[in-house]
Amino acid sequence: MIKVNHLKKSFGKTEVLKDINFELNQGEVLAIIGPSGSGKSTLLRCLNWLEQPDGGTISINNIDIEIENINKKQKQQLIKQSAMVFQHYNLFKNKTVLQNVTIGLKTNKQLDRSAIDARASDYIEQVGLSDFKHKYPVTLSGGQQQRVGIARALALDTPVLLFDEPTSALDPELVSGVLNVIKSVAKLNKTLIIVTHEMSFAEDIADKVIFMEDGFIVESGTPKQIFNNPRQERTAEFVKNDKGVK
């Protein structure tokens, strides 16, 4: 479903991703953990071309991309395979909850306005915000804003959802509500890739876990392996220090 080979990305002379390789099956949940600055968020952004990689190959849902030879059509096909839930929500402050969720649907020529509003309303209800549909982001808590971001991503109906540290900007008391919403999303048979610092959450929700540091994948495996019996000393050190830290 997702296969990444030899993915590389640099900013100037700084190598941020160094020969990244991994595979993920349809419906699986991948958690990416690691210290700040390890390349986790850049990896997500390369998968849906918010950042342009420098080399390697990406295959998502049978869309096969060779980075150095990608054309415009392939790029658009790749972008349509995933939707992003951002760390800082990225909502339009001058638009209501409903308008924020529908904005990505308006390019779909097969849906009329009533169908777009109906789909958006359904996902707003799924994240528990039906009573806030006509409110503006400034009136919402951080947790509620992130739920809007999740509804917006869901409404695009992509096979892959990318979560970039979805709770790191939230006050501690709001984290559990958003994590519970993500757990419900994981039951929809979509493929999820989640960058997170919530170790217990990663252990609970993921089918696979990747530990990254300094632009490399240091270790990958099942949650049981990574959190209870890591092969690499650096993985063990990171998990020991960070597991359970909110």
Side-chain angles (χ1 to χ4, degrees), residues 223-234:
K224 184 177 181 180
Q225 177 209 317
I226 296 296
F227 291 109
N228 298 322
N229 191 30
R231 300 187 187 99
Q232 302 298 323
E233 182 178 344
R234 182 63 187 102

Side-chain angles (χ1 to χ4, degrees), residues 26-30 126 150 154 161 163 178-194 201 204-207:
Q26 168 66 37
E28 288 187 324
V29 178
L30 171 65
Q126 285 193 35
I150 294 170
L154 283 169
L161 292 175
F163 293 81
V178 170
L179 295 182
N180 286 334
V181 171
I182 298 173
K183 287 180 181 179
S184 69
V185 171
K187 298 176 183 178
L188 299 177
N189 198 38
K190 291 184 179 290
T191 305
L192 275 56
I193 302 181
I194 307 169
F201 171 67
D204 182 42
I205 196 173
D207 299 294

Side-chain angles (χ1 to χ4, degrees), residues 8 13 30 51 71 110 116 123 154 197 221 242-243:
K8 298 179 181 180
K13 295 182 179 180
L30 171 65
E51 298 288 353
N71 58 43
Q110 297 178 334
I116 288 173
Y123 285 113
L154 283 169
H197 288 290
D242 284 45
K243 188 175 180 182

Side-chain angles (χ1 to χ4, degrees), residues 17-223:
L17 298 177
K18 308 168 184 177
D19 198 27
I20 299 295
N21 301 273
F22 70 91
E23 295 185 29
L24 196 60
N25 296 321
Q26 168 66 37
E28 288 187 324
V29 178
L30 171 65
I32 305 177
I33 63 173
S36 297
S38 58
K40 305 184 300 295
S41 294
T42 299
L43 172 55
L44 279 197
R45 294 173 68 85
C46 285
L47 293 178
N48 68 351
W49 224 257
L50 288 172
E51 298 288 353
Q52 181 173 334
D54 298 325
T57 62
I58 299 174
S59 177
I60 301 179
N61 200 26
N62 296 319
I63 305 299
D64 302 318
I65 302 300
E66 187 176 341
I67 303 301
E68 295 178 348
N69 295 313
I70 190 171
N71 58 43
K72 185 177 181 180
K73 181 180 179 180
Q74 290 175 320
K75 186 188 302 184
Q76 291 303 316
Q77 288 176 325
L78 182 69
I79 290 169
K80 290 178 180 179
Q81 301 310 306
S82 63
M84 177 83 82
V85 176
F86 297 92
Q87 179 179 350
H88 294 289
Y89 328 132
N90 285 28
L91 302 180
F92 291 94
K93 296 179 181 179
N94 63 334
K95 297 185 183 297
T96 65
V97 167
L98 180 63
Q99 290 170 331
N100 267 284
V101 176
T102 61
I103 196 164
L105 296 174
K106 291 179 179 178
T107 58
N108 190 333
K109 306 300 183 183
Q110 297 178 334
L111 296 176
D112 60 25
R113 181 55 190 263
S114 61
I116 288 173
D117 285 352
R119 180 191 287 189
S121 295
D122 180 53
Y123 285 113
I124 290 169
E125 181 179 1
Q126 285 193 35
V127 300
L129 291 178
S130 290
D131 293 340
F132 299 86
K133 190 162 58 174
H134 300 296
K135 301 289 187 181
Y136 288 88
V138 69
T139 68
L140 306 179
S141 70
Q144 289 168 334
Q145 290 186 63
Q146 191 58 289
R147 292 187 192 196
V148 177
I150 294 170
R152 178 179 58 189
L154 283 169
L156 293 173
D157 197 26
T158 58
V160 179
L161 292 175
L162 308 173
F163 293 81
D164 187 10
E165 300 190 24
T167 61
S168 64
L170 300 179
D171 293 332
E173 65 269 20
L174 301 176
V175 168
S176 63
V178 170
L179 295 182
N180 286 334
V181 171
I182 298 173
K183 287 180 181 179
S184 69
V185 171
K187 298 176 183 178
L188 299 177
N189 198 38
K190 291 184 179 290
T191 305
L192 275 56
I193 302 181
I194 307 169
V195 171
T196 184
H197 288 290
E198 304 283 344
M199 297 297 104
S200 296
F201 171 67
E203 185 174 10
D204 182 42
I205 196 173
D207 299 294
K208 297 178 180 178
V209 179
I210 284 174
F211 170 60
M212 289 184 66
E213 188 171 50
D214 193 30
F216 291 103
I217 294 178
V218 177
E219 186 169 356
S220 62
T222 65

